[in-house]
Coordinates of all heavy atoms in Angstrom, one line a residue:
M1133 N -2.4 8.7 -10.0 CA -2.3 7.2 -9.8 C -3.0 6.9 -8.5 O -2.9 7.7 -7.5 CB -0.9 6.8 -9.8 CG -0.6 5.4 -9.6 SD 1.1 5.0 -9.9 CE 0.9 3.3 -10.3
S1134 N -3.6 5.8 -8.4 CA -4.3 5.4 -7.2 C -3.9 3.9 -6.8 O -3.6 3.1 -7.7 CB -5.8 5.5 -7.2 OG -6.4 4.7 -8.2
C1135 N -4.0 3.6 -5.6 CA -3.7 2.2 -5.1 C -4.8 1.9 -4.0 O -5.2 2.8 -3.3 CB -2.3 2.1 -4.6 SG -1.6 3.5 -3.7
V1136 N -5.1 0.7 -3.9 CA -6.2 0.3 -3.0 C -5.8 -0.9 -2.1 O -5.1 -1.8 -2.5 CB -7.5 -0.2 -3.8 CG1 -8.6 -0.6 -2.9 CG2 -7.9 1.0 -4.7
G1137 N -6.2 -0.8 -0.8 CA -6.1 -2.0 0.1 C -7.5 -2.3 0.6 O -8.3 -1.5 1.0
R1138 N -7.9 -3.6 0.4 CA -9.2 -4.0 0.8 C -9.2 -4.7 2.2 O -8.3 -5.4 2.5 CB -9.7 -5.0 -0.3 CG -9.7 -4.4 -1.7 CD -10.5 -5.2 -2.6 NE -10.3 -4.7 -4.0 CZ -10.8 -3.6 -4.5 NH1 -11.4 -2.8 -3.7 NH2 -10.5 -3.2 -5.7
F1139 N -10.3 -4.4 2.9 CA -10.4 -5.0 4.3 C -10.5 -6.5 4.2 O -10.0 -7.1 5.1 CB -11.6 -4.4 5.0 CG -11.4 -3.0 5.6 CD1 -10.3 -2.2 5.2 CD2 -12.2 -2.5 6.5 CE1 -10.1 -0.9 5.7 CE2 -12.1 -1.2 7.0 CZ -11.0 -0.4 6.6
G1140 N -11.1 -7.0 3.2 CA -11.2 -8.5 3.1 C -9.9 -9.2 3.0 O -9.8 -10.4 3.2
E1141 N -8.8 -8.5 2.7 CA -7.4 -9.0 2.6 C -6.6 -8.8 3.9 O -5.5 -9.2 4.0 CB -6.7 -8.4 1.4 CG -7.4 -8.6 0.1 CD -6.8 -7.8 -1.0 OE1 -6.0 -6.9 -0.8 OE2 -7.2 -8.0 -2.2
N1142 N -7.3 -8.2 4.9 CA -6.6 -7.9 6.1 C -7.0 -8.9 7.2 O -8.1 -9.1 7.5 CB -7.0 -6.4 6.5 CG -6.4 -6.0 7.8 OD1 -7.0 -6.3 8.9 ND2 -5.3 -5.3 7.7
D1143 N -6.0 -9.4 7.9 CA -6.2 -10.5 8.9 C -7.0 -10.0 10.1 O -7.9 -10.7 10.6 CB -4.9 -11.0 9.4 CG -4.1 -11.9 8.4 OD1 -4.8 -12.3 7.4 OD2 -2.9 -12.0 8.5
R1144 N -6.8 -8.7 10.5 CA -7.6 -8.2 11.6 C -9.1 -8.1 11.2 O -10.0 -8.4 12.0 CB -7.0 -6.9 12.1 CG -7.8 -6.2 13.2 CD -7.7 -7.1 14.5 NE -8.4 -6.5 15.6 CZ -7.8 -5.8 16.6 NH1 -6.5 -5.6 16.5 NH2 -8.5 -5.3 17.6
A1145 N -9.3 -7.6 10.0 CA -10.7 -7.4 9.5 C -11.3 -8.8 9.4 O -12.5 -8.9 9.8 CB -10.7 -6.7 8.2
R1146 N -10.6 -9.8 9.0 CA -11.1 -11.1 9.0 C -11.5 -11.7 10.4 O -12.5 -12.3 10.6 CB -10.1 -12.1 8.3 CG -10.0 -11.9 6.8 CD -9.0 -12.8 6.3 NE -8.8 -12.5 4.9 CZ -7.8 -13.1 4.1 NH1 -7.0 -14.0 4.7 NH2 -7.7 -12.8 2.9
A1147 N -10.6 -11.4 11.3 CA -10.8 -11.9 12.7 C -12.1 -11.3 13.3 O -12.8 -11.9 14.0 CB -9.6 -11.6 13.6
E1148 N -12.3 -10.0 13.0 CA -13.5 -9.3 13.5 C -14.7 -9.3 12.5 O -15.7 -8.7 12.8 CB -13.1 -7.8 13.8 CG -12.1 -7.7 14.9 CD -11.9 -6.3 15.3 OE1 -12.7 -5.4 15.0 OE2 -10.9 -6.0 16.0
R1149 N -14.6 -10.1 11.5 CA -15.6 -10.2 10.4 C -16.1 -8.9 10.0 O -17.3 -8.7 9.8 CB -16.7 -11.1 11.0 CG -16.3 -12.5 11.3 CD -17.4 -13.4 11.6 NE -16.8 -14.8 11.7 CZ -17.1 -15.6 12.6 NH1 -18.1 -15.3 13.5 NH2 -16.6 -16.8 12.6
A1150 N -15.2 -8.0 9.7 CA -15.5 -6.6 9.2 C -14.8 -6.5 7.8 O -13.9 -5.8 7.6 CB -15.0 -5.6 10.1
L1151 N -15.3 -7.4 6.9 CA -14.6 -7.5 5.6 C -15.0 -6.5 4.6 O -14.3 -6.3 3.6 CB -14.9 -8.9 5.0 CG -14.5 -10.1 5.9 CD1 -15.0 -11.4 5.3 CD2 -13.1 -10.1 6.2
T1152 N -16.0 -5.7 4.9 CA -16.5 -4.7 3.9 C -15.8 -3.4 4.2 O -15.9 -2.8 5.3 CB -18.0 -4.5 4.0 OG1 -18.7 -5.7 3.9 CG2 -18.5 -3.5 3.0
G1153 N -15.0 -2.9 3.2 CA -14.3 -1.7 3.3 C -13.0 -1.7 2.5 O -12.6 -2.7 2.1
H1154 N -12.5 -0.5 2.3 CA -11.2 -0.4 1.6 C -10.5 1.0 1.9 O -11.2 1.9 2.5 CB -11.5 -0.5 0.1 CG -12.2 0.7 -0.5 ND1 -13.6 0.7 -0.5 CD2 -11.8 1.8 -1.0 CE1 -14.0 1.8 -1.0 NE2 -12.9 2.5 -1.4
I1155 N -9.3 1.0 1.5 CA -8.5 2.3 1.6 C -8.0 2.6 0.2 O -7.4 1.7 -0.4 CB -7.3 2.1 2.6 CG1 -7.8 1.8 4.0 CG2 -6.5 3.4 2.5 CD1 -6.7 1.6 5.0
K1156 N -8.3 3.7 -0.3 CA -7.8 4.1 -1.6 C -7.0 5.4 -1.4 O -7.3 6.3 -0.8 CB -9.0 4.5 -2.5 CG -8.6 4.9 -3.9 CD -9.8 5.2 -4.8 CE -9.3 5.6 -6.2 NZ -10.5 5.8 -7.1
V1157 N -5.8 5.3 -2.0 CA -4.8 6.4 -1.9 C -4.5 6.9 -3.3 O -4.3 6.2 -4.2 CB -3.5 5.9 -1.3 CG1 -2.5 7.0 -1.1 CG2 -3.7 5.2 0.1
V1158 N -4.5 8.2 -3.4 CA -4.2 8.9 -4.7 C -2.8 9.6 -4.5 O -2.6 10.3 -3.6 CB -5.3 9.9 -5.0 CG1 -5.0 10.7 -6.3 CG2 -6.6 9.3 -5.1
T1159 N -2.0 9.3 -5.6 CA -0.7 9.9 -5.6 C -0.4 10.7 -6.9 O -1.1 10.4 -7.9 CB 0.4 8.9 -5.4 OG1 0.4 8.0 -6.6 CG2 0.3 8.1 -4.2
N1160 N 0.6 11.5 -6.9 CA 1.0 12.1 -8.2 C 1.9 11.1 -8.9 O 2.2 10.0 -8.4 CB 1.6 13.5 -8.0 CG 2.9 13.5 -7.3 OD1 3.5 12.4 -7.0 ND2 3.4 14.6 -6.9
K1161 N 2.4 11.5 -10.0 CA 3.3 10.6 -10.8 C 4.5 10.2 -10.1 O 5.1 9.1 -10.3 CB 3.6 11.2 -12.2 CG 2.5 11.3 -13.1 CD 2.9 11.9 -14.4 CE 1.7 12.0 -15.3 NZ 2.0 12.6 -16.6
R1162 N 5.0 11.0 -9.2 CA 6.3 10.8 -8.5 C 6.0 10.0 -7.2 O 7.0 9.7 -6.5 CB 7.0 12.1 -8.2 CG 7.5 12.7 -9.5 CD 8.3 13.9 -9.2 NE 9.0 14.4 -10.4 CZ 9.6 15.5 -10.4 NH1 9.6 16.3 -9.4 NH2 10.1 15.9 -11.6
G1163 N 4.8 9.8 -6.8 CA 4.5 9.0 -5.6 C 4.1 9.8 -4.4 O 4.0 9.3 -3.3
R1164 N 4.0 11.1 -4.6 CA 3.6 12.0 -3.4 C 2.2 11.8 -3.1 O 1.3 11.8 -4.0 CB 3.9 13.4 -3.7 CG 3.9 14.2 -2.4 CD 4.2 15.7 -2.6 NE 3.0 16.4 -2.4 CZ 2.5 17.4 -3.2 NH1 3.2 17.9 -4.1 NH2 1.4 17.9 -2.9
V1165 N 1.8 11.5 -1.9 CA 0.4 11.3 -1.5 C -0.4 12.6 -1.6 O 0.0 13.6 -1.0 CB 0.3 10.7 0.0 CG1 -1.1 10.5 0.4 CG2 1.1 9.4 0.1
L1166 N -1.5 12.5 -2.4 CA -2.3 13.7 -2.6 C -3.6 13.6 -1.8 O -4.2 14.6 -1.5 CB -2.7 13.8 -4.1 CG -1.5 14.0 -5.0 CD1 -2.0 14.0 -6.5 CD2 -0.7 15.3 -4.7
G1167 N -4.0 12.4 -1.5 CA -5.3 12.2 -0.7 C -5.5 10.7 -0.5 O -4.9 9.9 -1.0
A1168 N -6.5 10.5 0.4 CA -6.9 9.1 0.7 C -8.3 9.1 1.1 O -8.8 10.0 1.7 CB -6.0 8.5 1.9
T1169 N -9.0 7.9 0.8 CA -10.4 7.7 1.2 C -10.4 6.4 1.9 O -9.8 5.4 1.5 CB -11.3 7.6 0.0 OG1 -11.2 8.9 -0.7 CG2 -12.7 7.4 0.4
I1170 N -11.1 6.3 3.1 CA -11.2 5.1 3.8 C -12.7 4.9 4.1 O -13.4 5.7 4.6 CB -10.4 5.1 5.1 CG1 -9.0 5.4 4.8 CG2 -10.6 3.8 5.9 CD1 -8.1 5.5 6.1
V1171 N -13.2 3.7 3.7 CA -14.6 3.3 3.9 C -14.6 2.0 4.7 O -13.9 1.0 4.2 CB -15.3 3.1 2.6 CG1 -16.7 2.7 2.8 CG2 -15.2 4.4 1.7
G1172 N -15.3 1.9 5.8 CA -15.4 0.7 6.5 C -15.1 0.9 8.0 O -15.0 2.0 8.5
A1173 N -15.0 -0.2 8.7 CA -14.8 -0.2 10.2 C -13.6 0.6 10.5 O -12.5 0.4 9.9 CB -14.7 -1.6 10.7
N1174 N -13.6 1.3 11.6 CA -12.5 2.1 12.1 C -11.9 3.1 11.2 O -10.7 3.5 11.3 CB -11.4 1.1 12.6 CG -11.8 0.2 13.6 OD1 -12.4 0.6 14.6 ND2 -11.6 -1.1 13.4
A1175 N -12.6 3.6 10.2 CA -12.1 4.5 9.2 C -11.6 5.8 9.9 O -10.6 6.3 9.5 CB -13.2 4.9 8.2
S1176 N -12.3 6.3 10.9 CA -11.9 7.5 11.6 C -10.6 7.4 12.3 O -9.9 8.3 12.5 CB -13.0 8.0 12.5 OG -13.2 7.0 13.6
E1177 N -10.3 6.1 12.7 CA -9.0 5.9 13.4 C -7.8 5.6 12.4 O -6.7 5.8 12.7 CB -9.1 4.7 14.3 CG -10.1 5.0 15.4 CD -10.4 3.8 16.3 OE1 -9.6 2.8 16.2 OE2 -11.3 3.9 17.1
L1178 N -8.2 5.2 11.2 CA -7.2 4.9 10.2 C -6.7 6.1 9.3 O -5.7 6.0 8.6 CB -7.7 3.8 9.2 CG -8.0 2.5 9.9 CD1 -8.8 1.5 8.9 CD2 -6.8 1.8 10.4
I1179 N -7.5 7.1 9.3 CA -7.2 8.3 8.4 C -6.0 9.1 8.9 O -5.4 9.8 8.1 CB -8.5 9.1 8.2 CG1 -8.3 10.0 6.9 CG2 -8.8 9.9 9.4 CD1 -8.3 9.3 5.6
G1180 N -5.7 9.0 10.1 CA -4.6 9.9 10.7 C -3.3 9.9 9.9 O -2.8 11.0 9.6
P1181 N -2.7 8.7 9.7 CA -1.4 8.7 9.0 C -1.5 9.3 7.6 O -0.6 10.0 7.1 CB -1.0 7.3 8.9 CG -1.8 6.6 10.0 CD -3.0 7.4 10.1
W1182 N -2.6 9.1 6.9 CA -2.8 9.7 5.6 C -3.0 11.2 5.6 O -2.5 11.8 4.7 CB -4.0 9.0 4.9 CG -3.7 7.5 4.8 CD1 -4.3 6.5 5.6 CD2 -2.8 6.9 4.0 NE1 -3.8 5.3 5.2 CE2 -2.8 5.5 4.2 CE3 -1.9 7.3 3.0 CZ2 -2.0 4.6 3.6 CZ3 -1.1 6.4 2.3 CH2 -1.2 5.0 2.6
T1183 N -3.6 11.7 6.6 CA -3.8 13.1 6.8 C -2.4 13.8 6.9 O -2.1 14.8 6.3 CB -4.6 13.5 8.0 OG1 -5.8 12.7 7.9 CG2 -5.0 14.9 8.0
L1184 N -1.5 13.1 7.7 CA -0.2 13.6 8.0 C 0.6 13.5 6.7 O 1.4 14.4 6.3 CB 0.5 12.7 9.0 CG 2.0 13.1 9.3 CD1 2.1 14.5 9.9 CD2 2.6 12.1 10.3
A1185 N 0.4 12.4 5.9 CA 1.2 12.3 4.6 C 0.8 13.4 3.7 O 1.7 14.0 3.0 CB 0.8 10.9 4.0
V1186 N -0.4 13.8 3.6 CA -0.9 14.9 2.7 C -0.3 16.2 3.2 O 0.3 17.0 2.4 CB -2.4 14.9 2.6 CG1 -2.8 16.2 1.8 CG2 -2.9 13.7 1.9
A1187 N -0.4 16.4 4.5 CA 0.0 17.7 5.1 C 1.5 17.9 4.9 O 2.0 19.0 4.7 CB -0.4 17.8 6.5
R1188 N 2.3 16.8 5.0 CA 3.7 16.9 5.0 C 4.3 16.6 3.6 O 5.5 16.6 3.5 CB 4.4 16.0 6.0 CG 4.0 16.3 7.4 CD 4.6 17.6 7.9 NE 4.3 17.8 9.3 CZ 4.5 18.9 9.9 NH1 5.1 19.9 9.3 NH2 4.2 19.1 11.1
G1189 N 3.5 16.3 2.7 CA 4.0 16.0 1.3 C 4.8 14.7 1.3 O 5.8 14.6 0.5
L1190 N 4.4 13.7 2.1 CA 5.2 12.5 2.1 C 5.0 11.6 0.8 O 4.0 11.7 0.1 CB 4.8 11.6 3.3 CG 5.0 12.3 4.7 CD1 4.5 11.3 5.8 CD2 6.4 12.6 4.9
H1191 N 6.0 10.8 0.6 CA 6.0 9.9 -0.5 C 5.3 8.6 -0.1 O 5.3 8.2 1.1 CB 7.4 9.6 -1.0 CG 7.5 8.9 -2.3 ND1 7.3 7.5 -2.4 CD2 7.7 9.3 -3.5 CE1 7.5 7.2 -3.7 NE2 7.7 8.3 -4.4
I1192 N 4.7 7.9 -1.0 CA 4.0 6.7 -0.7 C 4.9 5.6 -0.1 O 4.5 4.8 0.8 CB 3.2 6.1 -1.9 CG1 2.3 5.0 -1.6 CG2 4.2 5.6 -3.0 CD1 1.0 5.5 -1.0
R1193 N 6.2 5.6 -0.4 CA 7.1 4.7 0.2 C 7.3 4.9 1.7 O 7.6 4.0 2.4 CB 8.4 4.7 -0.6 CG 9.4 5.8 -0.2 CD 10.7 5.7 -0.9 NE 11.3 7.0 -1.0 CZ 11.2 7.8 -2.1 NH1 10.5 7.3 -3.1 NH2 11.7 9.0 -2.1
D1194 N 7.1 6.1 2.1 CA 7.2 6.4 3.6 C 6.1 5.6 4.3 O 6.3 5.2 5.4 CB 7.0 7.9 3.8 CG 8.1 8.7 3.2 OD1 9.3 8.2 3.2 OD2 7.8 9.8 2.7
L1195 N 4.9 5.5 3.8 CA 3.9 4.7 4.4 C 3.9 3.2 4.1 O 3.5 2.4 5.0 CB 2.5 5.3 4.0 CG 2.3 6.7 4.7 CD1 1.8 7.7 3.7 CD2 1.5 6.6 5.9
A1196 N 4.5 2.9 3.0 CA 4.6 1.4 2.7 C 5.7 0.8 3.6 O 5.6 -0.4 3.9 CB 5.0 1.3 1.2
G1197 N 6.7 1.6 4.0 CA 7.8 1.0 4.8 C 7.6 1.1 6.3 O 8.5 0.7 7.1
I1198 N 6.5 1.6 6.8 CA 6.2 1.8 8.2 C 6.0 0.5 8.9 O 5.4 -0.4 8.3 CB 5.0 2.8 8.4 CG1 5.0 3.3 9.9 CG2 3.7 2.1 8.1 CD1 4.0 4.4 10.1
A1199 N 6.5 0.3 10.1 CA 6.3 -0.9 10.9 C 5.1 -0.7 11.8 O 5.0 0.2 12.6 CB 7.6 -1.2 11.7
L1200 N 4.1 -1.6 11.6 CA 2.9 -1.5 12.3 C 2.7 -2.8 13.2 O 3.2 -3.8 12.8 CB 1.7 -1.4 11.4 CG 1.6 -0.1 10.6 CD1 0.6 -0.2 9.5 CD2 1.4 1.1 11.5
P1201 N 1.9 -2.6 14.3 CA 1.6 -3.8 15.0 C 0.8 -4.8 14.2 O 0.1 -4.4 13.3 CB 0.8 -3.3 16.2 CG 0.8 -1.9 16.2 CD 1.4 -1.4 14.8
Y1202 N 0.8 -6.1 14.5 CA 0.1 -7.1 13.8 C -0.8 -7.9 14.7 O -0.3 -8.3 15.8 CB 1.1 -8.0 13.0 CG 0.4 -9.1 12.3 CD1 -0.2 -8.9 11.0 CD2 0.2 -10.3 12.8 CE1 -0.8 -9.9 10.3 CE2 -0.4 -11.3 12.2 CZ -0.9 -11.1 10.9 OH -1.6 -12.1 10.3
P1203 N -1.9 -8.2 14.4 CA -2.8 -7.8 13.3 C -3.5 -6.5 13.7 O -4.1 -6.4 14.7 CB -3.7 -8.9 13.1 CG -3.9 -9.5 14.5 CD -2.6 -9.3 15.2
T1204 N -3.5 -5.5 12.8 CA -4.3 -4.3 13.0 C -5.0 -3.9 11.6 O -4.5 -4.3 10.6 CB -3.5 -3.1 13.4 OG1 -2.5 -2.8 12.4 CG2 -2.8 -3.4 14.7
F1205 N -6.0 -3.1 11.7 CA -6.6 -2.6 10.5 C -5.6 -1.7 9.8 O -5.7 -1.5 8.6 CB -7.9 -1.8 10.9 CG -9.1 -2.6 11.1 CD1 -9.5 -3.0 12.4 CD2 -9.9 -3.0 10.0 CE1 -10.6 -3.7 12.6 CE2 -11.0 -3.8 10.2 CZ -11.4 -4.2 11.5
G1206 N -4.7 -1.1 10.5 CA -3.7 -0.2 9.9 C -2.9 -0.9 8.8 O -2.4 -0.3 7.9
E1207 N -2.8 -2.2 8.9 CA -2.1 -3.0 7.9 C -2.7 -2.9 6.5 O -2.1 -3.0 5.5 CB -2.0 -4.5 8.3 CG -1.0 -4.8 9.3 CD 0.4 -4.9 8.7 OE1 0.6 -5.5 7.6 OE2 1.3 -4.3 9.3
A1208 N -4.0 -2.6 6.5 CA -4.7 -2.4 5.2 C -4.2 -1.2 4.5 O -4.0 -1.2 3.3 CB -6.2 -2.3 5.4
G1209 N -3.9 -0.2 5.2 CA -3.3 1.0 4.7 C -1.9 0.8 4.1 O -1.5 1.3 3.1
K1210 N -1.1 0.0 4.9 CA 0.2 -0.3 4.4 C 0.2 -1.2 3.2 O 1.0 -1.0 2.3 CB 1.0 -1.1 5.5 CG 2.4 -1.4 5.2 CD 3.1 -2.1 6.4 CE 4.5 -2.5 6.0 NZ 5.2 -3.1 7.1
H1211 N -0.8 -2.1 3.1 CA -1.0 -2.9 1.9 C -1.3 -2.0 0.7 O -0.8 -2.2 -0.4 CB -2.1 -3.9 2.1 CG -2.4 -4.7 0.9 ND1 -1.5 -5.7 0.5 CD2 -3.4 -4.7 0.1 CE1 -2.0 -6.3 -0.6 NE2 -3.2 -5.7 -0.9
A1212 N -2.2 -1.0 0.9 CA -2.6 -0.1 -0.1 C -1.3 0.7 -0.6 O -1.1 0.8 -1.8 CB -3.6 0.9 0.3
A1213 N -0.5 1.1 0.3 CA 0.7 1.8 -0.1 C 1.7 0.9 -0.9 O 2.3 1.3 -1.8 CB 1.4 2.4 1.1
S1214 N 1.7 -0.3 -0.5 CA 2.6 -1.3 -1.2 C 2.2 -1.6 -2.6 O 3.0 -1.9 -3.4 CB 2.7 -2.6 -0.4 OG 3.2 -2.4 0.9
T1215 N 0.9 -1.5 -2.8 CA 0.4 -1.8 -4.2 C 0.8 -0.8 -5.2 O 0.8 -1.0 -6.4 CB -1.2 -1.9 -4.2 OG1 -1.7 -0.7 -3.9 CG2 -1.7 -3.1 -3.3
Y1216 N 1.3 0.4 -4.7 CA 1.8 1.4 -5.6 C 3.0 0.9 -6.4 O 3.2 1.2 -7.6 CB 2.2 2.6 -4.8 CG 2.9 3.7 -5.6 CD1 2.2 4.6 -6.3 CD2 4.3 3.7 -5.6 CE1 2.9 5.6 -7.0 CE2 5.0 4.7 -6.3 CZ 4.3 5.6 -7.0 OH 4.9 6.6 -7.7
F1217 N 3.8 0.0 -5.8 CA 5.0 -0.5 -6.4 C 4.8 -1.7 -7.3 O 5.7 -2.1 -8.0 CB 6.0 -0.8 -5.4 CG 6.4 0.4 -4.5 CD1 5.8 0.6 -3.3 CD2 7.2 1.3 -5.0 CE1 6.1 1.7 -2.5 CE2 7.5 2.5 -4.3 CZ 7.0 2.6 -3.0
I1218 N 3.6 -2.3 -7.4 CA 3.4 -3.5 -8.2 C 3.7 -3.3 -9.7 O 4.3 -4.1 -10.3 CB 2.0 -4.1 -7.9 CG1 1.9 -4.7 -6.5 CG2 1.6 -5.1 -9.0 CD1 0.6 -5.2 -6.1
P1219 N 3.2 -2.2 -10.3 CA 3.5 -2.0 -11.7 C 5.0 -2.0 -12.0 O 5.4 -2.5 -13.1 CB 2.8 -0.7 -12.1 CG 1.8 -0.5 -11.1 CD 2.3 -1.2 -9.8
S1220 N 5.8 -1.5 -11.2 CA 7.2 -1.4 -11.4 C 7.9 -2.8 -11.4 O 8.9 -3.1 -12.0 CB 7.9 -0.5 -10.5 OG 7.8 -0.9 -9.1
L1221 N 7.2 -3.7 -10.6 CA 7.8 -5.1 -10.5 C 7.5 -5.9 -11.7 O 8.1 -6.9 -12.0 CB 7.2 -5.8 -9.3 CG 7.6 -5.2 -7.9 CD1 6.8 -5.9 -6.8 CD2 9.0 -5.2 -7.7
T1222 N 6.5 -5.5 -12.5 CA 6.1 -6.2 -13.7 C 6.7 -5.6 -15.0 O 6.4 -6.1 -16.1 CB 4.6 -6.3 -13.8 OG1 4.1 -5.0 -13.9 CG2 4.0 -7.1 -12.7
S1223 N 7.6 -4.6 -14.9 CA 8.1 -4.0 -16.1 C 9.1 -5.0 -16.7 O 9.7 -5.8 -16.0 CB 8.9 -2.7 -15.7 OG 10.1 -3.0 -15.1
P1224 N 9.3 -4.9 -18.0 CA 10.2 -5.8 -18.7 C 11.6 -5.8 -18.2 O 12.3 -6.8 -18.1 CB 10.2 -5.3 -20.2 CG 8.9 -4.6 -20.3 CD 8.6 -4.0 -19.0
W1225 N 12.1 -4.6 -17.8 CA 13.4 -4.4 -17.3 C 13.6 -5.2 -16.0 O 14.6 -6.0 -15.8 CB 13.7 -3.0 -17.0 CG 15.0 -2.7 -16.4 CD1 15.2 -2.2 -15.1 CD2 16.3 -2.8 -16.9 NE1 16.5 -2.1 -14.9 CE2 17.3 -2.5 -16.0 CE3 16.8 -3.3 -18.1 CZ2 18.6 -2.5 -16.2 CZ3 18.2 -3.3 -18.4 CH2 19.1 -2.9 -17.4
V1226 N 12.7 -5.1 -15.1 CA 12.7 -5.9 -13.8 C 12.6 -7.4 -14.0 O 13.3 -8.2 -13.4 CB 11.6 -5.4 -12.8 CG1 11.6 -6.3 -11.6 CG2 11.9 -3.9 -12.4
R1227 N 11.8 -7.8 -14.9 CA 11.6 -9.2 -15.2 C 13.0 -9.8 -15.8 O 13.3 -10.9 -15.4 CB 10.5 -9.5 -16.3 CG 9.1 -9.4 -15.6 CD 8.1 -9.9 -16.5 NE 8.1 -9.3 -17.8 CZ 7.2 -8.6 -18.4 NH1 6.1 -8.3 -17.7 NH2 7.3 -8.1 -19.6
R1228 N 13.7 -9.0 -16.6 CA 15.0 -9.5 -17.1 C 16.0 -9.6 -16.0 O 16.7 -10.6 -15.9 CB 15.5 -8.5 -18.2 CG 14.8 -8.7 -19.5 CD 15.5 -7.8 -20.6 NE 14.4 -7.2 -21.3 CZ 14.3 -6.0 -21.7 NH1 15.3 -5.1 -21.5 NH2 13.3 -5.5 -22.3
I1229 N 16.0 -8.7 -15.1 CA 16.9 -8.8 -13.9 C 16.6 -10.0 -13.1 O 17.5 -10.7 -12.7 CB 16.9 -7.5 -13.1 CG1 17.5 -6.3 -13.9 CG2 17.6 -7.7 -11.8 CD1 17.3 -5.0 -13.2
I1230 N 15.3 -10.2 -12.8 CA 14.9 -11.4 -12.0 C 15.3 -12.7 -12.7 O 15.8 -13.6 -12.0 CB 13.4 -11.3 -11.7 CG1 13.1 -10.2 -10.8 CG2 12.9 -12.7 -11.1 CD1 11.6 -9.9 -10.6
T1231 N 15.1 -12.8 -14.0 CA 15.5 -13.9 -14.8 C 17.0 -14.2 -14.7 O 17.5 -15.3 -14.4 CB 15.1 -13.8 -16.2 OG1 13.7 -13.6 -16.3 CG2 15.5 -15.0 -17.1
L1232 N 17.8 -13.1 -14.8 CA 19.2 -13.2 -14.7 C 19.6 -13.7 -13.3 O 20.5 -14.6 -13.2 CB 19.9 -11.9 -15.0 CG 21.4 -11.8 -14.8 CD1 22.1 -12.7 -15.8 CD2 21.9 -10.4 -15.0
L1233 N 19.0 -13.2 -12.3 CA 19.4 -13.6 -10.9 C 19.0 -15.0 -10.6 O 19.7 -15.7 -9.9 CB 18.7 -12.6 -9.9 CG 19.2 -11.2 -9.8 CD1 18.3 -10.4 -8.9 CD2 20.6 -11.2 -9.4
R1234 N 17.9 -15.5 -11.2 CA 17.5 -16.9 -11.1 C 18.6 -17.8 -11.7 O 18.9 -18.9 -11.2 CB 16.1 -17.1 -11.7 CG 15.0 -16.6 -10.8 CD 13.7 -17.0 -11.5 NE 12.6 -16.4 -10.7 CZ 11.4 -16.2 -11.2 NH1 11.1 -16.5 -12.4 NH2 10.5 -15.7 -10.4
R1235 N 19.1 -17.4 -12.8 CA 20.1 -18.2 -13.5 C 21.4 -18.3 -12.7 O 22.1 -19.3 -12.7 CB 20.3 -17.7 -14.9 CG 19.2 -17.9 -15.9 CD 19.4 -17.4 -17.2 NE 18.2 -17.5 -18.1 CZ 18.1 -16.9 -19.2 NH1 19.0 -16.1 -19.7 NH2 16.9 -17.1 -19.9
L1236 N 21.7 -17.2 -12.1 CA 23.0 -17.1 -11.3 C 22.8 -17.9 -10.0 O 23.8 -18.3 -9.4 CB 23.3 -15.7 -11.0 CG 23.7 -14.9 -12.3 CD1 24.0 -13.4 -11.8 CD2 24.9 -15.4 -13.0
G1237 N 21.6 -18.0 -9.5 CA 21.4 -18.6 -8.2 C 21.2 -20.0 -8.3 O 21.6 -21.0 -7.8

């Protein structure tokens, strides 16, 4: 499974007009980070956390939950990690729970 964060969606990249680039993360079915590719400005500085994730067998949620300074290019990596969870938010089971909570609220 793979997830992507695009520089064009990142506030720091917009501020520096460095909109071309992306971060692609590959995970196994359980969410363990297997690898990452970064193309664009500051790629050499952004790869560090992903190298650690692969070396330590971290789960994608470990990187999605990290607190980063704002605005930084690193937020693009966090966004990529967060996109891993989007399919689970659109499952029929989750939609039913959300509907139920809306009715109760």
Side-chain angles (χ1 to χ4, degrees):
M1133 181 172 201
S1134 66
C1135 36
V1136 177
R1138 303 195 189 292
F1139 282 14
E1141 299 168 353
N1142 178 274
D1143 290 339
R1144 179 63 179 262
R1146 288 179 184 171
E1148 294 189 15
R1149 296 191 174 138
L1151 304 176
T1152 305
H1154 68 273
I1155 298 175
K1156 180 178 181 180
V1157 181
V1158 178
T1159 65
N1160 67 8
K1161 290 180 182 180
R1162 293 185 173 170
R1164 195 178 110 220
V1165 179
L1166 301 176
T1169 301
I1170 303 176
V1171 178
N1174 301 311
S1176 62
E1177 296 174 14
L1178 297 172
I1179 197 69
W1182 299 105
T1183 312
L1184 179 64
V1186 172
R1188 299 290 183 191
L1190 297 180
H1191 192 278
I1192 192 78
R1193 79 174 152 268
D1194 296 324
L1195 289 137
I1198 195 168
L1200 294 170
Y1202 176 84
T1204 61
F1205 278 97
E1207 282 281 317
K1210 183 176 177 177
H1211 177 73
S1214 298
T1215 63
Y1216 173 85
F1217 300 100
I1218 290 174
S1220 64
L1221 296 174
T1222 59
S1223 74
W1225 175 249
V1226 172
R1227 284 195 307 247
R1228 282 186 226 138
I1229 291 172
I1230 291 171
T1231 300
L1232 176 65
L1233 291 173
R1234 284 183 182 158
R1235 288 180 186 166
L1236 294 175

